[in-house]
Amino acid sequence: MVGYNSFLGNVSAISSLAWACSGIVFAAASLNNSDFTATAGQQFGLYIGVLVVCGAFCAYGTEIFARLQTPSVVLNVILALVTIIGLPIAKRHELNTAAFTFGGFVNLTSWPSGFSFLLSFLAPVWTICSFDCAVSLSEEATNAATAVPQAIVGAIGSAGILGTVILVILALCMGPDVAAVNDDALGQPLAYIYLHAFGQKGSLVIWSFMCIARCAVPLGALCFADPINYSAIK
């Protein structure tokens, strides 16, 4: 059962990440040209391209991938700081109220509100779905009995804290019209929030780096899904 669930999880996770990467890249194109809207065929083609490139990279470029880990982490930290610090400054005259930020609830689905609330947990569950990477590397870790549990707790704990802060900032800066954020033609609510905070040029610069960071996610997930690559990455 563990192997079966792990297989399904790796297949669905990598596919989902590659599809999301495709949408984020095309959102950058839409930020650059408001008249551009990607077709389903274009999105699917880029999705397949991302999977092929990631597969080839993991098969033949693990040493390069190992060197890219630190720059990738630094880039993600910078993007998080841009969101946490930059967004409130850019939207300082248009911030939502505390009541809306912490107590507002808008259900844009056809599901009952209670069930929609439970479905919303599918998004943050991504922050803890890959803690098994530390377990998979335990045979190569020094003092694994202590280091691996610390890695699991530290990764999940830091992701939970950082994720909560970012969600609060987004709720504070997104504006009161949730439907407008969700239904915008960009197809990416975060890109919509950046666009209305930093303008077209500023949001395009930030989103370009977001594309780079996002492309590294399916690559990392695919590499860590392959036990053969663990030693090379380490």
Side-chain angles (χ1 to χ4, degrees):
M1 288 300 298
V2 170
Y4 176 74
N5 288 329
S6 178
F7 169 76
L8 290 181
N10 283 324
V11 170
S12 60
I14 293 169
S15 298
S16 299
L17 292 170
W19 181 257
C21 181
S22 172
I24 287 175
V25 171
F26 278 120
S30 297
L31 283 172
N32 184 57
N33 180 7
S34 59
D35 295 327
F36 173 80
T37 302
T39 65
Q42 289 172 328
Q43 289 185 322
F44 184 75
L46 182 56
Y47 157 73
I48 296 297
V50 170
L51 288 176
V52 171
V53 170
C54 288
F57 202 96
C58 288
Y60 304 107
T62 51
E63 292 184 2
I64 300 175
F65 178 71
R67 296 188 180 95
L68 294 177
Q69 287 296 290
T70 299
S72 178
V73 171
V74 172
L75 177 59
N76 277 276
V77 171
I78 293 174
L79 290 172
L81 291 176
V82 168
T83 301
I84 295 171
I85 300 174
L87 267 181
I89 294 176
K91 297 277 290 186
R92 58 188 178 278
H93 301 302
E94 304 175 83
L95 298 177
N96 289 323
T97 63
F100 177 89
T101 300
F102 295 100
F105 186 86
V106 180
N107 183 7
L108 300 177
T109 72
S110 58
W111 297 101
S113 294
F115 191 65
S116 297
F117 176 76
L118 294 177
L119 287 177
S120 69
F121 283 92
L122 290 175
V125 78
W126 283 97
T127 62
I128 62 172
C129 69
S130 297
F131 68 88
D132 61 310
C133 290
V135 179
S136 301
L137 290 168
S138 60
E139 294 181 357
E140 302 178 22
T142 302
N143 192 20
T146 301
V148 172
Q150 287 178 342
I152 294 173
V153 174
I156 296 176
S158 59
I161 294 172
L162 181 61
T164 299
V165 173
I166 290 177
L167 287 176
V168 170
I169 295 299
L170 293 179
L172 182 67
C173 301
M174 66 187 295
D177 192 349
V178 180
V181 178
N182 184 72
D183 300 334
D184 188 77
L186 281 173
Q188 297 289 334
L190 186 57
Y192 176 91
I193 296 172
Y194 283 158
L195 177 61
H196 286 75
F198 300 111
Q200 182 190 25
K201 292 183 178 179
S203 61
L204 187 58
V205 171
I206 297 171
W207 202 254
S208 298
F209 287 105
M210 189 75 71
C211 291
I212 297 173
R214 187 65 193 188
C215 288
V217 177
L219 175 60
L222 187 58
C223 277
F224 279 110
D226 182 2
I228 297 174
N229 286 329
Y230 286 147
S231 297
I233 292 173
K234 188 168 185 277

